[in-house]
């Protein structure tokens, strides 16, 4: 009886099937890892939110303090919707829980992506991640303690005669959260500068020669973001200019020419 003929393409087919199975297993394991990291981040937010819910009204009182302290005598915040006195403080509690849990969220993100990074990428990513969190918090604190009081003082002062200023609590929360987010992002200038240098878009010499454009851009962004008073605009534009200079110094310290060349 004749022996069966050997198909020379069979080893290639087996190797292709094995490679396909490995890719599927790798993708499945990555999805499981991502789900686990997301679940831990969500649990952190829920735990903090549960702890903050009993203090939701007190949190809102603290958030409203910069405006309430500058309202004319007899003026106060109002609620124009039936559920606002209940829902708005809970929204603030959620935002605060997200704010407090941000280090945990970013750590879970880092733990997911770090195994795929090269050694020099990890060396650069760690300080950038820490700096991004700290600068965002500093930007929010800067807005709350310095910018908002100055802005509300201006807005109260320019209120027309015969108009009583009584702000809705929901609109106030949305305005303040927008200011926090805007100032937090604007304070990320050093991180953005370092990332651009690390991927080879700019170098130190270009950053130094582009100072004038950075100053103009800072004032343009500040004029767009801040309330319509010159004080708030200057209070954002000047820190952005200083943070740009800090980013230039950080590029000299953290970004090596070899890293930028490898990224490019």
């Amino acid at each position: 009886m004749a022996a069966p003929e050997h198909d020379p393409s069979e080893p290639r087919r087996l190797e292709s099937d094995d490679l396909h199975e490995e890719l599927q297993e790798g993708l499945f394991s990555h999805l499981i890892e991502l789900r686990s990291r997301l679940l831990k981040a969500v649990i952190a937010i829920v735990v903090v939110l549960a702890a903050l819910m009993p203090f939701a009204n007190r949190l809102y009182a603290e958030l409203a303090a910069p405006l309430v302290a500058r309202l004319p005598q007899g003026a106060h915040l109002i609620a124009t919707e039936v559920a606002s006195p209940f829902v708005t403080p809970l929204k603030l509690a959620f935002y605060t829980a997200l704010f407090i849990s941000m280090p945990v969220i970013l750590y879970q993100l880092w733990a997911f992506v770090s195994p795929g990074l090269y050694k020099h990428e990890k060396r650069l990513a760690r300080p950038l991640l820490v700096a991004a969190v700290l600068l965002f918090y500093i930007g929010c604190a800067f807005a709350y303690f310095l910018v908002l009081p100055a802005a509300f003082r201006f807005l109260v002062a320019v209120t027309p005669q015969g108009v009583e200023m009584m702000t809705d609590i929901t609109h106030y929360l949305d305005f303040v959260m927008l200011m926090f987010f805007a100032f937090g992002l604007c304070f990320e200038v050093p991180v953005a500068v370092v990332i651009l240098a690390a991927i080879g878009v700019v170098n130190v010499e270009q950053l130094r020669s582009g100072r004038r454009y950075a100053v103009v851009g800072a004032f343009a962004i500040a004029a767009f973001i801040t309330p319509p008073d010159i004080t708030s605009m200057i209070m954002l534009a000047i820190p952005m200019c200083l943070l740009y200079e800090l980013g230039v110094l950080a590029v000299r310290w953290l970004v090596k020419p070899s890293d930028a060349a490898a990224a490019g």
Side-chain angles (χ1 to χ4, degrees), residues 51-172:
L52 291 176
M53 284 180 64
F55 309 99
N57 289 337
R58 186 180 303 178
L59 285 173
Y60 193 90
E62 292 294 329
L63 185 72
L67 176 59
V68 173
R70 288 156 184 85
L71 287 175
Q73 187 175 5
H76 49 270
L77 296 176
I78 62 173
T80 59
E81 298 179 4
V82 176
S84 293
F86 173 75
V87 174
T88 303
L90 289 183
K91 286 175 61 178
L92 175 59
F94 172 76
Y95 293 148
T96 307
L98 191 63
F99 184 83
I100 295 174
S101 305
M102 192 56 63
V104 177
I105 297 171
L106 292 178
Y107 172 76
Q108 297 300 328
L109 176 63
W110 168 255
F112 178 72
V113 302
S114 61
L117 299 178
Y118 293 107
K119 185 176 181 180
H120 71 276
E121 292 174 335
K122 291 182 180 180
R123 179 185 62 82
L124 184 62
R126 288 193 190 100
L128 285 181
L129 192 61
V130 174
V133 176
L134 292 178
L135 287 171
F136 188 84
Y137 285 167
I138 292 172
C140 294
F142 184 83
Y144 178 78
F145 289 106
L146 296 177
V147 177
L148 289 180
F152 294 147
R153 190 181 300 114
F154 168 80
L155 294 174
V156 171
V158 299
T159 301
Q161 187 72 24
V163 176
E164 188 173 359
M165 183 177 180
M166 291 189 297
T167 305
D168 176 66
I169 59 174
T170 303
H171 294 161
Y172 176 78

Side-chain angles (χ1 to χ4, degrees), residues 191-214:
V191 176
V193 169
V194 172
I195 292 176
L196 290 175
I199 63 179
V201 175
V202 293
N203 53 42
V204 175
E205 290 73 19
Q206 292 172 327
L207 290 171
R208 289 173 177 170
S209 63
R211 281 191 177 102
R212 68 187 73 179
Y213 303 106

